[in-house]
Amino acid sequence: MNQSEKRRTHFLLVLFLSLVVGIIAYPPLVRFAPPVFDVVDSWKVNQGLDLQGGIHLEYKADVSQVPDGKVSEALSAVQAVIERRVNAFGVGEPLVQLSRSGIEERIIVELPGIKDIEQAKKMIKETPFLEFREQIDPDSDTLKQLVTLNQETKVQAEQVLERAKKGENFSALAGEFSQDPGSKEKGGDLDFVKQGTFVPEFDSVVFDASLQSGSIYPTLVESQYGWHIIRKVEERGEGEDREVRASHILFMKRSIEQYPELQWVATGLSGKNLKNASVDYQSQGVGSPQVALQFDDEGTQLFADITKRNIGKGLAIVLDGLPITDTNGDGIIDKSDPPYAPTIQAEIPAGQAVITGNYTMQQANDLVKRLNEGALPVPITLVGQQSVDASLGQNALKQSLFAGMIGLGVVAVFMIFYYRFLGVIAVLALILYTAMLLTIFKLSTFTPFSITVTLSGIAGFILSIGMAVDANVLIFERTREELGYGKNIYKALDEGFRRAWPSIRDGNYSTLITTFILIGSGTGFVKGFALILTLGILLSMFTAVVLVRVTLRFLVTSWAERHLWLFVPRKKLPPTTE
């Protein structure tokens, strides 16, 4: 590939990049293509509390009862609990952070898009509740109630069966009594099916050749789902193609498996009885990590009683009604997780126990953290609340964008007026730079590092525009100097970029060091400002040094030598010799 082909290929790549980011940043460009427009238009930039409105809450944490060495751990535990509650609230981009005001420990909670402040306060203030549950006693009243209920259901099913056998309308009975939501509205109709479709008990009845079409099976059919009243409607085909159409009335059976919350009952042992949980090792610092528990006096007695009567059984540990570990391995702790229940090996009278297993250090630390979330609830008191009106945020956003557009317009006019053709390319690069930054904002919402744009972030964005222009100015001034020395336009451009790069690099690098410090040590709006300014600086260098250069190397050809006034005023060019 020769130089001309390389320049054309690089320029086409720039055009393609421009087209992609342009569509993502401004979806109306493809309004003529509805499928693409609908998808891209649904991608939005995450807006912070100050832009879309919401709730700002500030709590004071009472750590007076927490040992000095445990304050940080206790605050982190409370922060984790609030974050979990807020996430359960369905809030997008919530902010929960620790802060210090004088000698007071504060917890800042910001909930963008939330309007019901009382509901948010109620949810956040609820004390985390860790409890230990034991398996239900087979002779318990709960199980006895289930047995009685099933007996009553079976009696009702037998009564309905007798009515059906006496000739009452089967479909009407199914519509009135069946508890099968899939067929109830169709009068119990199950349509044509082949053998093997239903549970074996049901299958053996409807495919029994001795049961005539239109007949009702004379007795109840019991399956894992309950009791069925079955009517064979008709059949068709033979051999492997044989199909039967049946209808049924289902009376559902209640089982303990259908109510997992009933399988575990409270023991009275809770997080308030757990003095501490920590990571330990099975044999003096070596071997697999395990989790050590220590209970207070009341907890010691309760734990002794529990372990005595449940040897060989599980002891479920739940926090806020959910298991404390991801027991089904789907990465989410929710109600689909079976209860986390270590098995009790022996009676434990001393109030100290260990949970063993093939834990990694990270898994053991996570388990300890969640146990302590319920064991060390630091009291928190609401000391400040503020509702941010979305209209205020939107007005601020409009004013900021208007200011940005005015600034961009003034800069564009100056660049075109002063640098002429080079200024036009710089303005196009600025527009592309803006589209690329918006594209990053939108695409970041699909990653774990979603960017939330706030007013401070917009300030960082506008500031980075000025830095992008500054890079172009350095390049164009060096190019003009080279033209003034009498070099042709091609060499002048190459020298302009080469000589300007050290200044661009050093200036931006020094700013990047500052932004990295702000990201690492700052909080809230300061961190948002620094993050977006960092992205802006990196993108501005890319557009100014790479995209502008590729574009100029393709567009500046022999015509430029005949029109140097488009690049530099004639009075700055060296005199020509006749």
Side-chain angles (χ1 to χ4, degrees):
M1 185 180 294
N2 57 39
Q3 289 298 320
S4 178
E5 291 174 337
K6 284 184 179 178
R7 291 172 183 173
R8 183 171 62 251
T9 301
H10 293 164
F11 181 69
L12 289 176
L13 290 175
V14 171
L15 285 182
F16 178 74
L17 175 65
S18 305
L19 179 64
V20 172
V21 299
I23 291 173
I24 295 176
Y26 190 65
L29 289 175
V30 288
R31 193 183 291 277
F32 61 88
V36 177
F37 171 76
D38 292 341
V39 172
V40 178
D41 193 50
S42 65
W43 299 348
K44 303 296 182 185
V45 175
N46 278 333
Q47 298 182 4
L49 181 72
D50 53 353
L51 296 184
Q52 64 170 313
I55 296 172
H56 172 96
L57 301 172
E58 187 169 349
Y59 292 90
K60 181 179 73 175
D62 180 6
V63 295
S64 59
Q65 303 301 316
V66 180
D68 291 342
K70 298 287 186 180
V71 170
S72 178
E73 182 181 349
L75 289 172
S76 296
V78 174
Q79 182 185 19
V81 171
I82 294 177
E83 285 178 342
R84 191 175 65 253
R85 294 183 186 282
V86 167
N87 290 331
F89 205 42
V91 182
E93 296 303 312
L95 173 66
V96 181
Q97 62 181 8
L98 303 177
S99 178
R100 177 183 284 269
S101 177
I103 60 173
E104 293 182 346
E105 302 289 349
R106 300 289 180 93
I107 300 172
I108 309 297
V109 183
E110 292 186 347
L111 309 174
I114 297 298
K115 301 185 185 305
D116 191 341
I117 192 169
E118 294 303 325
Q119 185 180 359
K121 286 160 55 180
K122 180 181 178 183
M123 170 169 283
I124 292 170
K125 191 63 188 299
E126 288 177 348
T127 303
F129 188 63
L130 176 76
E131 62 178 333
F132 297 78
R133 297 178 180 178
E134 60 184 335
Q135 285 182 295
I136 191 170
D137 184 347
D139 297 326
S140 69
D141 292 339
T142 302
L143 285 184
K144 291 178 180 177
Q145 290 172 3
L146 283 178
V147 171
T148 302
L149 182 61
N150 285 333
Q151 289 174 341
E152 295 173 352
T153 301
K154 185 177 180 181
V155 170
Q156 184 187 21
E158 289 172 338
Q159 293 172 347
V160 174
L161 173 62
E162 291 302 317
R163 291 169 60 179
K165 289 163 65 176
K166 290 178 181 177
E168 284 197 41
N169 187 289
F170 192 90
S171 297
L173 290 173
E176 182 179 356
F177 294 104
S178 183
Q179 296 172 331
D180 178 11
S183 64
K184 178 182 176 69
E185 299 301 326
K186 297 183 292 185
D189 183 26
L190 298 172
D191 209 346
F192 282 102
V193 297
K194 290 186 177 181
Q195 192 164 10
T197 303
F198 301 123
V199 292
E201 299 88 347
F202 196 105
D203 232 25
S204 63
V205 170
V206 296
F207 284 92
D208 185 350
S210 63
L211 183 64
Q212 300 298 311
S213 296
S215 299
I216 297 173
Y217 195 69
T219 60
L220 294 176
V221 177
E222 184 176 356
S223 73
Q224 59 180 309
Y225 300 109
W227 294 275
H228 306 261
I229 300 173
I230 300 175
R231 176 174 177 263
K232 186 175 182 179
V233 180
E234 59 180 309
E235 64 177 88
R236 66 187 182 190
E238 296 180 352
E240 294 182 353
D241 296 328
R242 184 186 178 207
E243 291 183 321
V244 171
R245 183 170 195 163
S247 59
H248 79 146
I249 304 172
L250 173 64
F251 291 82
M252 293 188 67
K253 182 192 299 181
R254 275 74 173 177
S255 67
I256 192 68
E257 288 76 17
Q258 293 175 295
Y259 302 91
E261 68 276 12
L262 298 180
Q263 299 180 50
W264 302 91
V265 294
T267 60
L269 184 65
S270 66
K272 69 176 184 179
N273 304 119
L274 182 61
K275 292 178 65 176
N276 188 36
S278 60
V279 176
D280 197 358
Y281 292 90
Q282 293 186 6
S283 44
Q284 299 299 322
V286 296
S288 300
Q290 58 188 14
V291 176
L293 307 178
Q294 183 177 5
F295 295 96
D296 62 8
D297 293 340
E298 181 187 21
T300 297
Q301 185 59 51
L302 286 170
F303 195 61
D305 295 340
I306 294 168
T307 53
K308 181 179 180 180
R309 65 175 179 262
N310 288 287
I311 296 175
K313 299 179 181 177
L315 181 65
I317 309 175
V318 298
L319 182 64
D320 290 339
L322 299 176
I324 57 172
T325 61
D326 177 21
T327 43
N328 61 13
D330 63 355
I332 302 172
I333 298 177
D334 56 24
K335 292 185 177 179
S336 67
D337 286 286
Y340 176 74
T343 301
I344 299 173
Q345 306 291 342
E347 180 183 352
I348 304 175
Q352 293 181 330
V354 293
I355 303 175
T356 59
N358 295 321
Y359 296 123
T360 63
M361 179 54 74
Q362 182 62 46
Q363 289 171 330
N365 280 327
D366 289 344
L367 180 55
V368 165
K369 180 180 178 183
R370 295 183 66 78
L371 283 164
N372 284 330
E373 285 176 4
L376 295 173
V378 176
I380 56 176
T381 305
L382 184 65
V383 295
Q385 65 180 51
Q386 180 183 5
S387 293
V388 181
D389 193 336
S391 61
L392 293 176
Q394 290 302 313
N395 287 335
L397 176 62
K398 290 178 182 177
Q399 292 172 0
S400 299
L401 292 179
F402 181 73
M405 292 298 291
I406 293 295
L408 185 61
V410 172
V411 170
V413 170
F414 169 77
M415 294 294 289
I416 294 174
F417 174 78
Y418 194 74
Y419 291 105
R420 308 183 186 191
F421 180 77
L422 295 177
V424 173
I425 300 300
V427 171
L428 293 176
L430 278 179
I431 295 173
L432 178 58
Y433 157 78
T434 305
M436 291 172 66
L437 200 55
L438 286 175
T439 298
I440 291 176
F441 291 162
K442 291 186 176 182
L443 295 184
S444 73
T445 60
F446 300 103
T447 72
F449 310 101
S450 177
I451 298 173
T452 299
V453 178
T454 64
L455 284 177
S456 63
I458 293 176
F461 167 56
I462 294 175
L463 179 59
S464 66
I465 290 178
M467 302 184 73
V469 174
D470 182 60
N472 285 321
V473 168
L474 286 171
I475 295 169
F476 298 160
E477 283 298 323
R478 299 293 87 78
T479 301
R480 280 187 166 189
E481 290 176 2
E482 295 300 325
L483 286 172
Y485 296 150
K487 293 184 179 178
N488 63 44
I489 186 65
Y490 314 111
K491 291 184 178 178
L493 283 171
D494 286 342
E495 282 298 304
F497 278 98
R498 188 186 64 79
R499 291 177 53 200
W501 168 242
S503 300
I504 297 172
R505 178 196 59 200
D506 295 344
N508 285 308
Y509 280 9
S510 60
T511 308
L512 283 174
I513 292 173
T514 305
T515 59
F516 288 153
I517 294 173
L518 290 177
I519 292 173
S521 59
T523 58
F525 295 144
V526 174
K527 183 177 288 187
F529 168 80
L531 175 62
I532 293 181
L533 181 57
T534 301
L535 289 174
I537 292 171
L538 295 175
L539 276 183
S540 69
M541 282 198 292
F542 176 70
T543 53
V545 177
V546 177
L547 299 186
V548 170
R549 186 172 192 173
V550 168
T551 303
L552 287 175
R553 291 185 69 183
F554 177 78
L555 295 180
V556 175
T557 57
S558 58
W559 66 268
E561 285 292 336
R562 300 190 298 272
H563 302 83
L564 288 179
W565 60 272
L566 285 173
F567 297 84
V568 63
R570 294 184 187 277
K571 61 183 181 182
K572 292 190 176 182
L573 290 173
T576 56
T577 56
E578 297 296 336

